[in-house]
Amino acid sequence: YTNTYTSCAHMKALYDEALACEGMVGMAIGTRPDCVDEEKIELIQSYTQDYLVWLEYGLQSVHDATLSLINRGHDFKDFVRAVDMTRDRGINICTHVILGLPGEDRAMMLESARVLADMGINGVKIHLLYVIKDTPLDRMWQRGDYTCMEQQAYVDMVCDFLERLPKEIIIQRITGDPHGEELRAPAWAGRYRETFNLIQQTLEERES
């Protein structure tokens, strides 16, 4: 994971140490889109000659109003800048998206899919928004200011989302997997395999 304050020298030391382990064939680096610059991207690119490299950007939504509401600390333009900086360097780009964010309806979530489909990214991780105990979202949920998605609604939304992505995009995740002792709601979020199977079944029924 890289952040704004991670120096290239520190990053290189970490990556070299990890890749020195026997049998390592690549690495996936997770970061925020506002935490990369040309120097860091050039360092990451230097590993692509010998290793499979994924750079994962936590976007969550293409809508700036949502990003502001959830205190992401960056906007969509930061993501576009990061993707433009990373593209065509031999680095695979993965984007994290959360479905069910406060204030987002079906149209907004599908707009995120449509926008990402046109950006030339290589992979997507789709997450379910679930409520973790003792967080700001937990307090919103307890006040009745946030309602979690129902399981079938989430399954249908994931399938709708996937159907709008180019077939070349690798789907690396399709739901979340919370720790049971931390989960407040929805209860079905803890049944990962059940949700996974429902998504698979729905895609088959749609012949998607």
Side-chain angles (χ1 to χ4, degrees):
Y1 181 81
T2 67
N3 60 48
T4 304
Y5 307 105
T6 306
S7 70
C8 279
H10 183 56
M11 289 168 57
K12 187 176 189 307
L14 289 174
Y15 300 158
D16 288 350
E17 180 182 3
L19 292 170
C21 296
E22 184 178 357
M24 292 293 287
V25 298
M27 60 180 175
I29 302 163
T31 188
R32 295 160 50 104
D34 56 327
C35 291
V36 295
D37 54 36
E38 188 68 29
E39 184 182 13
K40 290 176 180 176
I41 294 298
E42 287 181 358
L43 171 65
I44 294 168
Q45 182 184 11
S46 71
Y47 291 95
T48 61
Q49 295 294 320
D50 301 305
Y51 299 98
L52 173 67
V53 178
W54 280 89
L55 189 49
E56 302 187 15
Y57 289 123
L59 171 63
Q60 319 314 347
S61 171
V62 304
H63 302 286
D64 283 342
T66 302
L67 298 178
S68 177
L69 179 64
I70 64 174
N71 298 316
R72 279 297 298 174
H74 65 77
D75 58 21
F76 181 62
K77 287 189 296 185
D78 289 324
F79 174 74
V80 173
R81 178 191 63 85
V83 170
D84 288 345
M85 194 185 307
T86 309
R87 192 187 289 113
D88 300 324
R89 292 177 181 257
I91 302 169
N92 295 290
I93 304 170
C94 181
T95 303
H96 291 231
V97 176
I98 296 176
L99 301 182
L101 288 165
E104 292 214 348
D105 57 17
R106 180 177 183 275
M108 293 176 73
M109 287 183 268
L110 294 183
E111 177 68 6
S112 288
R114 187 194 66 76
V115 171
L116 292 175
D118 294 333
M119 292 193 66
I121 62 175
N122 307 102
V124 170
K125 286 186 176 180
I126 302 173
H127 301 259
L128 160 70
L129 183 64
Y130 47 79
V131 181
I132 295 298
K133 296 175 183 177
D134 302 319
T135 61
L137 184 61
D138 186 12
R139 292 187 284 276
M140 285 180 62
W141 180 78
Q142 293 193 62
R143 292 195 306 267
D145 294 333
Y146 173 71
T147 301
C148 300
M149 294 185 75
E150 297 292 339
Q151 187 180 37
Q152 189 58 54
Y154 179 78
V155 167
D156 291 339
M157 178 54 62
V158 169
C159 295
D160 292 342
F161 197 100
L162 294 177
E163 288 173 345
R164 285 159 174 78
L165 299 179
K167 63 181 180 179
E168 295 82 12
I169 290 183
I170 298 171
I171 310 304
Q172 297 190 9
R173 177 177 291 167
I174 56 175
T175 187
D177 192 14
H179 295 290
E181 66 274 12
E182 296 179 345
L183 180 65
R184 178 78 73 186
W188 64 263
R191 303 194 296 271
Y192 174 88
R193 179 53 57 182
E194 178 181 291
T195 303
F196 184 94
N197 290 340
L198 284 170
I199 292 169
Q200 178 75 18
Q201 177 184 335
T202 302
L203 290 170
E204 291 174 357
E205 290 172 351
R206 294 185 183 190
E207 299 184 351
S208 295

